[in-house]
Amino acid sequence: MLQGQCLCGLVYYHYQAELEKTILCFCQHCQRAQGTMLGWNSPIDQSKFKIVRGQQYLKEYFHSPNKARVFCQECGSPIYSYRLDLLGVLRLRLGTVTEGYVPAPTEQAFAHRKPQFLQVSLLETSVRHGV
Ligand SMILES: [Zn+2]
Ligand SMILES: [Zn+2]
């Protein structure tokens, strides 16, 4: 069970399952969309994910024709993305998690775009939010 929210708190979600894996993505789209050097994402089961409040503040942006990036239009926090050719799966943006267990990343995508100063130790650490 996971909970999370956007920066301003208008959008709040629950995920009724555990995260199975997390991925760091250094692609240029993630860098621009997140405004930083990487995206930290996890594939999740859409049927177990629920926007508890703030659905009306979510906006979808299609930078690629088949991939929507969904964010809070009040504060700009990226919440998740999904692909039209991969129905039932969302990719949750893990910086928004406030409660629950977030496993350490096991994969790096587009690692050749990773800044040289950044050392990532896969599988050595995990983040547990909340109490
Ligand atoms: Zn917000
Ligand atoms: Zn990416």
Side-chain angles (χ1 to χ4, degrees):
M1 167 76 181
L2 229 62
Q3 299 176 37
Q5 65 168 74
C6 65
L7 180 60
C8 75
L10 285 172
V11 176
Y12 183 73
Y13 64 77
H14 281 178
Y15 183 53
Q16 302 284 356
E18 296 298 326
L19 299 180
E20 289 174 9
K21 65 171 183 176
T22 74
I23 298 162
L24 302 181
C25 185
F26 295 92
C27 85
Q28 208 163 37
H29 291 172
C30 283
Q31 289 177 338
R32 287 185 183 151
Q34 320 301 316
T36 184
M37 68 185 88
L38 58 84
W40 188 23
N41 308 320
S42 179
I44 61 169
D45 180 347
Q46 184 170 19
S47 68
K48 296 173 179 157
F49 180 78
K50 186 172 191 312
I51 298 292
V52 177
R53 59 168 196 262
Q55 179 73 47
Q56 69 271 32
Y57 296 102
L58 288 178
K59 186 171 168 64
E60 299 190 349
Y61 170 67
F62 284 83
H63 186 72
S64 317
N66 66 344
K67 181 177 177 180
R69 292 172 180 271
V70 184
F71 62 96
C72 171
Q73 56 185 312
E74 181 68 20
C75 68
S77 289
I79 308 294
Y80 63 88
S81 65
Y82 68 90
R83 299 176 64 100
L84 297 178
D85 56 3
L86 196 64
L87 292 177
V89 178
L90 307 179
R91 282 183 181 264
L92 187 64
R93 301 307 189 240
L94 297 173
T96 61
V97 174
T98 59
E99 295 280 332
Y101 178 68
V102 181
T106 52
E107 289 175 38
Q108 297 182 87
F110 296 85
H112 62 283
R113 296 193 52 84
K114 181 168 62 177
Q116 286 191 344
F117 62 80
L118 185 67
Q119 298 266 339
V120 175
S121 302
L122 298 176
L123 276 178
E124 286 187 7
T125 55
S126 299
V127 181
R128 186 178 292 277
H129 294 277
V131 288

